């Protein structure tokens, strides 16, 4: 019987990307089942029963999903961050998990600059803003996304700084950024851009002490995960500093937290606080293609050749 690949995306890919995914799965003789824009977890629980493989985005794969997934062998997160997969649970069931690192890096990097320019030009409200040239940007985490932002920053004539606990300082310097020795050291720069995964260590780690250290016009850019920022502290920082900006692609799910931040800013034109309506960093045709096709290829290579290069560990 042909293998079934379930494309379970609460936030759908562009139609063109889905066609390309289907071209990969059908060339392998697999059946692609689409569960896009689904509204309830029950829909996912029903759909997963027949799946040998799953392609997901930020969709949660937890014990409840795995309990219904009798045939599942592999789940691929079409994207970078995999905090939505319970890796202990997948490992416990012998299901392989993968991500597709780097595939949406350029899309996120372009959004970072979009938000920076919107903020620097006062959300185009007619008042005088400022230019990015000669300004400093510091990266917390220097993986594929941060490097793509760094490349654009070089084009803008900005100075880059970076801290990454897993990358030696010499390598950071080789890539044209100035290595920074500590997380706190990043917050001496006007822009700090977050590119860390959500882990026990990073959760709520961006706090008031760090944010209050930032120089005049200090701007935090978060295209990582909202949970990395200490939300109550963020409200206090907005109240204490009229110059501070938060540009965020990942608005808190918690409506009250979001409203508390907006009230503390009182910023009618959206210069100091930018929230996207839904996480938009990877929401481009190109990134959808790159991530989706990579995920489909990884599934085929796994079944046909036992390829596990991008397998994740708990
Ligand atoms: C990622 O980690 O790759 C991004 O956050 C993209 O998430 P999305 O697929 O839900 O847009």
């Amino acid at each position: 019987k042909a293998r079934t690949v379930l494309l379970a995306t609460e936030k759908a890919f562009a139609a063109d990307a889905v066609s390309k995914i289907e071209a990969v799965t059908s060339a392998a003789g697999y059946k692609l089942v689409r569960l896009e824009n689904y509204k309830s977890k029950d829909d996912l629980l029903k759909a997963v029963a027949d799946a040998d493989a799953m392609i997901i985005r930020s969709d949660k794969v937890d014990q409840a999903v795995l309990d219904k997934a009798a045939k599942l062998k592999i789940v691929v997160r079409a994207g970078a961050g995999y905090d939505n997969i319970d890796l202990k649970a997948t490992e416990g069931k012998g299901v392989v998990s993968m991500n597709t690192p780097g595939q949406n890096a350029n899309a996120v990097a372009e959004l970072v600059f979009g938000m920076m320019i919107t903020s620097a030009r006062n959300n185009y409200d007619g008042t005088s803003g400022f230019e990015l040239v000669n300004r400093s940007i510091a990266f917390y985490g220097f993986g594929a996304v941060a490097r793509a932002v760094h490349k654009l920053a070089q084009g803008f004539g900005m100075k880059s700084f970076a801290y990454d606990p897993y990358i030696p300082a010499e390598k950071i310097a080789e890539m044209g950024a100035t290595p920074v020795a500590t997380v706190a050291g990043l917050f001496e720069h006007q822009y700090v851009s977050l590119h860390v995964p959500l882990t026990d260590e990073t959760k709520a780690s961006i706090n008031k002490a760090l944010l209050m250290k930032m120089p005049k016009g200090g701007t935090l850019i978060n295209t990582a995960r909202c949970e990395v920022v200490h939300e109550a502290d963020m409200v206090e920082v907005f109240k204490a500093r009229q110059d501070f900006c938060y540009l965020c692609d990942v608005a808190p799910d918690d409506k009250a937290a979001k409203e508390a931040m907006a009230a503390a800013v009182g910023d009618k034109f959206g210069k100091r606080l930018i929230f996207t309506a839904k996480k938009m960093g990877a929401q481009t045709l190109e990134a959808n293609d790159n991530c989706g096709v990579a995920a489909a290829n990884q599934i085929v290579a796994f079944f046909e050749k036992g390829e596990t290069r991008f397998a994740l560990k708990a």
Side-chain angles (χ1 to χ4, degrees):
K1 191 171 174 279
R3 294 190 196 276
T4 297
V5 178
L6 174 67
L7 175 67
T9 49
E10 180 271 322
K11 184 174 64 190
F13 282 139
D16 189 58
V18 178
S19 307
K20 288 185 178 145
I21 292 169
E22 192 147 32
V24 173
T25 50
S26 58
Y30 304 173
K31 183 173 149 205
L32 185 75
V33 174
R34 295 161 58 164
L35 179 72
E36 298 172 276
N37 298 311
Y38 63 93
K39 298 283 177 258
S40 90
K41 179 127 181 183
D42 279 346
D43 297 340
L44 178 60
L45 295 178
K46 269 185 221 128
V48 83
D50 272 339
D52 298 286
M54 273 174 98
I55 298 174
I56 55 164
R57 296 186 67 176
S58 292
D59 309 78
K60 277 202 171 52
V61 172
D62 54 15
Q63 192 62 53
V65 172
L66 292 165
D67 285 345
K68 300 282 181 198
K71 296 161 64 189
L72 191 68
K73 299 283 180 299
I74 176 170
V75 45
V76 183
R77 194 283 189 245
Y82 48 86
D83 47 281
N84 50 319
I85 305 178
D86 181 342
L87 288 178
K88 283 209 181 83
T90 50
E91 278 179 13
K93 209 179 146 80
V95 170
V96 172
S97 306
M98 297 185 186
N99 64 346
T100 64
Q103 299 291 350
N104 58 22
N106 187 65
V108 181
E110 290 190 12
L111 183 72
V112 167
F113 270 86
M115 294 195 297
M116 279 164 78
I117 292 172
T118 299
S119 171
R121 296 302 182 96
N122 300 329
N123 201 6
Y124 321 109
D125 70 353
T127 63
S128 183
F130 63 87
E131 298 176 28
L132 299 180
V133 66
N134 294 326
R135 294 182 187 258
S136 296
I137 183 163
F139 300 102
Y140 182 13
F142 207 52
V145 179
R147 289 176 208 183
V149 182
H150 165 57
K151 204 170 125 200
L152 297 183
Q154 287 179 312
F156 273 84
M158 298 181 80
K159 298 181 205 87
S160 291
F161 299 80
Y163 167 80
D164 189 314
Y166 302 101
I167 301 177
E170 311 79 70
K171 267 205 90 180
I172 289 176
E174 262 169 39
M175 291 185 271
T178 303
V180 173
T182 60
V183 175
L186 297 169
F187 289 79
E188 289 164 16
H189 299 285
Q190 181 178 357
Y191 289 99
V192 172
S193 195
L194 304 178
H195 300 286
V196 287
L198 175 63
T199 62
D200 290 343
E201 190 198 342
T202 61
K203 194 170 181 179
S205 67
I206 307 303
N207 57 24
K208 187 173 176 184
L210 291 173
L211 297 172
M212 291 304 286
K213 273 171 60 79
M214 294 184 86
K216 194 163 184 296
T219 298
L220 182 73
I221 307 162
N222 186 2
T223 54
R225 292 290 180 269
C226 62
E227 294 92 336
V228 171
V229 169
H230 192 296
E231 282 164 5
D233 277 14
M234 179 61 83
V235 174
E236 283 189 35
V237 174
F238 272 130
K239 285 183 183 155
R241 293 186 60 161
Q242 292 305 308
D243 64 320
F244 177 80
C245 304
Y246 183 36
L247 317 181
C248 183
D249 181 33
V250 280
D253 287 336
D254 179 355
K255 211 168 154 238
K258 200 168 150 184
E259 279 166 8
M261 280 186 215
V265 180
D267 174 358
K268 154 160 153 225
F269 284 102
K271 318 172 209 184
R272 292 180 54 214
L273 178 62
I274 296 179
F275 279 140
T276 51
K278 263 201 172 198
K279 191 159 49 131
M280 293 300 295
Q283 204 56 324
T284 65
L285 174 58
E286 292 84 350
N288 288 177
D289 273 3
N290 293 343
C291 291
V293 170
N297 280 326
Q298 286 171 217
I299 287 169
V300 174
F302 170 77
F303 283 128
E304 306 303 325
K305 298 187 217 146
E307 175 75 68
T308 55
R309 182 171 158 214
F310 293 106
L312 303 166
K313 286 208 162 39

